[in-house]
Amino acid sequence: MKDAHGYQLTGCNGEAQALLDQALAQFRCLHADSLATTEAALQASPELVMGHVLHAWLYLLGTEAAALPVARAAHERALELPHNDREGRHLHALGLLLNGRWHAAGRALEDLSIDYPHDLLALQAGHQIDFFTGDARMLRDRIARVRPDWSPEVPGYHALLGLYAFGLEETGDYRLAERLGREAVALQPDDAWAQHAVAHVLEMQGRREEGIAWMRGNPAWQQDSMLAVHNWWHLALHYLEMDEFDSVLELFDGPLNGHGSTLALELIDASALLWRLQLRGVEVGQRWSGVAERWAAMAADGCYAFNDFHAAMAFACGGREDLLASLHEAQRVAAARDDDNARFTGQIGAPGVEALLAYVDCDYRRCTDLLRAIRNQAHLFGGSHAQRDLLDQTLIAAAERSGEQGLARALQRERRLLAEQRRMQ
């Protein structure tokens, strides 16, 4: 049997095929129910190799240590089953990522996509790995390589456009990124990643009112989406830059944080927004304590440096010295491993956390020195330009508070000029 793109499926029956295609279509839009549909496909056919593959990717791409045993079990089960070349390549990439080889996993998926250009799962998983490793060029080029093989008649074409749009945005081609992202959303309004790609363009160009209209104007991304919190965060950034702090806090207390998420990718947004508010002198009350409490279960993981960085904000601002101690020990252990996160942590994550703690302790000169040393390499520990902008904002605030007015003025000039250039692109 074959999937919707004509690729052969091992261990499949009619019911499992329909459910797998449904789960993959849901994942293209980042629907939260893609996991339940995947599990239903495996119930219909426990020998469905691509069902186990998708199950593993859904857990691994959350960047949480607690998900690793589930992903590993799915991977091991699939390895025991007969599988074809494409499925075997997915399993190879999964094995690499399970062993902390983020870059090698991305390369394995890169080669898979060259030979199987309509495998959207490989493209999506590789694209996410590019995001987590801060590889802006591959965010674009991984998709550019296969785009000539696609047309509007190919199932999931909207997703390909959305992926390419985000890669274009991260490499500064804002005009084409916006056009393709809007085209993708027009084709599939609940494509949360395409919605997100345009949100990034509008954020990077400082188009605040248009950004609010874009996010408010399409309710489809707000329903049943694994990316909903992050998209709400993008909306909040526009209000933040317009100094409409009540609107920001309303979003934080509502759709962004009100449901008490314990997912790392959503807690990152909560930490980042509260930190930005504090940089602007906004009183956030007791909000840090709740965020810190939900980060607590991951304090000792040392799984992904970008997560640790944002957890440290909550622990420091929430007064949780016990959790900071656990995080420091986890970083020490992580930096000693022989994997990619050791480099993420050693090069950017650990000094980044020290800079945050220096800022909280009012040691602004130390914060400034630490951030100046890492900010030009900060992409090495992942995230987007919009997310990593927090480092520049913190550096400017620290320079001002440490009395380094010349540096602060130079950084502000640099920032203004870059904003003007982005608006012209």
Side-chain angles (χ1 to χ4, degrees), residues 212-281:
I212 292 169
W214 171 248
M215 301 310 288
R216 293 286 192 191
N218 178 20
W221 62 263
Q222 302 169 21
Q223 309 299 319
D224 182 39
S225 174
M226 292 184 279
L227 202 66
V229 166
H230 188 64
N231 277 337
W232 284 118
W233 178 80
H234 274 284
L235 175 61
L237 291 188
H238 291 300
Y239 287 117
L240 181 66
E241 293 300 321
M242 296 169 69
D243 293 337
E244 296 186 18
F245 303 130
D246 288 343
S247 296
V248 177
L249 290 171
E250 182 179 347
L251 286 170
F252 181 88
D253 293 335
L256 202 151
N257 186 66
H259 59 300
S261 174
T262 57
L263 298 176
L265 295 178
E266 296 182 348
L267 287 169
I268 285 171
D269 294 322
S271 290
L273 190 57
L274 288 182
W275 185 269
R276 282 169 166 82
L277 283 164
Q278 286 195 167
L279 288 178
R280 291 170 175 267

Side-chain angles (χ1 to χ4, degrees), residues 118 147-155 157 160:
H118 290 162
R147 194 181 175 205
D149 296 298
W150 283 73
S151 70
E153 289 70 40
V154 178
Y157 180 65
L160 185 88

Side-chain angles (χ1 to χ4, degrees), residues 364-369 372 395-396 398-411:
Y364 300 119
R365 180 65 60 91
R366 174 169 167 74
C367 177
T368 299
D369 290 343
R372 290 183 76 182
L395 174 57
I396 291 170
E400 289 174 339
R401 296 187 182 200
S402 68
E404 297 178 79
Q405 299 305 324
L407 173 62
R409 184 167 56 253
L411 291 168

Side-chain angles (χ1 to χ4, degrees), residues 99-410:
N99 288 316
R101 308 294 179 187
W102 297 67
H103 294 292
R107 174 70 65 85
L109 290 170
E110 182 184 333
D111 293 340
L112 191 164
S113 295
I114 291 170
D115 292 333
Y116 301 93
H118 290 162
D119 187 332
L120 257 174
L121 178 59
L123 290 169
Q124 276 189 276
H127 191 75
Q128 287 300 311
I129 291 171
D130 297 335
F131 175 76
F132 293 138
T133 57
D135 192 339
R137 181 168 179 176
M138 278 308 297
L139 278 167
R140 178 194 65 193
D141 294 348
R142 181 183 300 273
I143 313 304
R145 293 173 182 181
V146 303
R147 194 181 175 205
D149 296 298
W150 283 73
S151 70
E153 289 70 40
V154 178
Y157 180 65
H158 67 90
L160 185 88
L161 293 180
L163 295 170
Y164 194 36
F166 185 68
L168 289 166
E169 179 276 323
E170 287 295 289
T171 50
D173 191 344
Y174 299 128
R175 187 173 302 176
L176 183 57
E178 181 175 1
R179 180 169 71 78
L180 295 183
R182 288 181 181 273
E183 183 180 340
V185 172
L187 291 170
Q188 186 68 45
D190 56 350
D191 186 333
W193 192 255
Q195 178 80 24
H196 162 261
V198 178
H200 269 266
V201 172
L202 299 174
E203 168 63 25
M204 299 306 287
Q205 293 189 315
R207 294 157 60 188
R208 303 299 167 194
E209 283 150 3
E210 290 179 79
I212 292 169
W214 171 248
M215 301 310 288
R216 293 286 192 191
N218 178 20
W221 62 263
Q222 302 169 21
Q223 309 299 319
D224 182 39
S225 174
M226 292 184 279
L227 202 66
V229 166
H230 188 64
N231 277 337
W232 284 118
W233 178 80
H234 274 284
L235 175 61
L237 291 188
H238 291 300
Y239 287 117
L240 181 66
E241 293 300 321
M242 296 169 69
D243 293 337
E244 296 186 18
F245 303 130
D246 288 343
S247 296
V248 177
L249 290 171
E250 182 179 347
L251 286 170
F252 181 88
D253 293 335
L256 202 151
N257 186 66
H259 59 300
S261 174
T262 57
L263 298 176
L265 295 178
E266 296 182 348
L267 287 169
I268 285 171
D269 294 322
S271 290
L273 190 57
L274 288 182
W275 185 269
R276 282 169 166 82
L277 283 164
Q278 286 195 167
L279 288 178
R280 291 170 175 267
V282 178
E283 175 57 52
V284 299
Q286 298 300 309
R287 291 177 176 87
W288 276 119
S289 61
V291 176
E293 190 62 35
R294 282 179 276 120
W295 270 118
M298 290 174 270
D301 287 351
C303 183
Y304 179 44
F306 197 73
N307 294 354
D308 296 338
F309 179 73
H310 288 82
M313 293 177 203
F315 298 156
C317 295
R320 295 299 303 270
E321 294 295 329
D322 56 330
L323 296 176
L324 274 175
S326 295
L327 187 143
H328 278 308
E329 175 60 17
Q331 284 191 314
R332 185 191 67 77
V333 173
R337 294 193 187 104
D338 181 24
D339 63 15
D340 288 337
N341 189 52
R343 289 180 284 278
F344 303 158
T345 301
Q347 293 174 354
I348 308 298
V353 167
E354 291 306 312
L356 295 176
L357 299 183
Y359 190 92
V360 173
D361 291 339
C362 302
D363 190 349
Y364 300 119
R365 180 65 60 91
R366 174 169 167 74
C367 177
T368 299
D369 290 343
L370 286 164
L371 289 179
R372 290 183 76 182
I374 66 172
R375 74 163 187 148
N376 291 344
Q377 291 80 40
H379 64 280
L380 295 174
F381 87 144
S384 66
H385 295 304
Q387 288 176 308
R388 294 189 302 269
D389 188 48
L390 180 146
L391 293 169
D392 285 314
Q393 293 181 26
T394 305
L395 174 57
I396 291 170
E400 289 174 339
R401 296 187 182 200
S402 68
E404 297 178 79
Q405 299 305 324
L407 173 62
R409 184 167 56 253

Side-chain angles (χ1 to χ4, degrees), residues 3-17:
D3 66 13
H5 292 98
Y7 293 132
Q8 191 168 3
L9 298 170
T10 305
C12 193
N13 58 40
E15 182 183 0
Q17 178 201 36

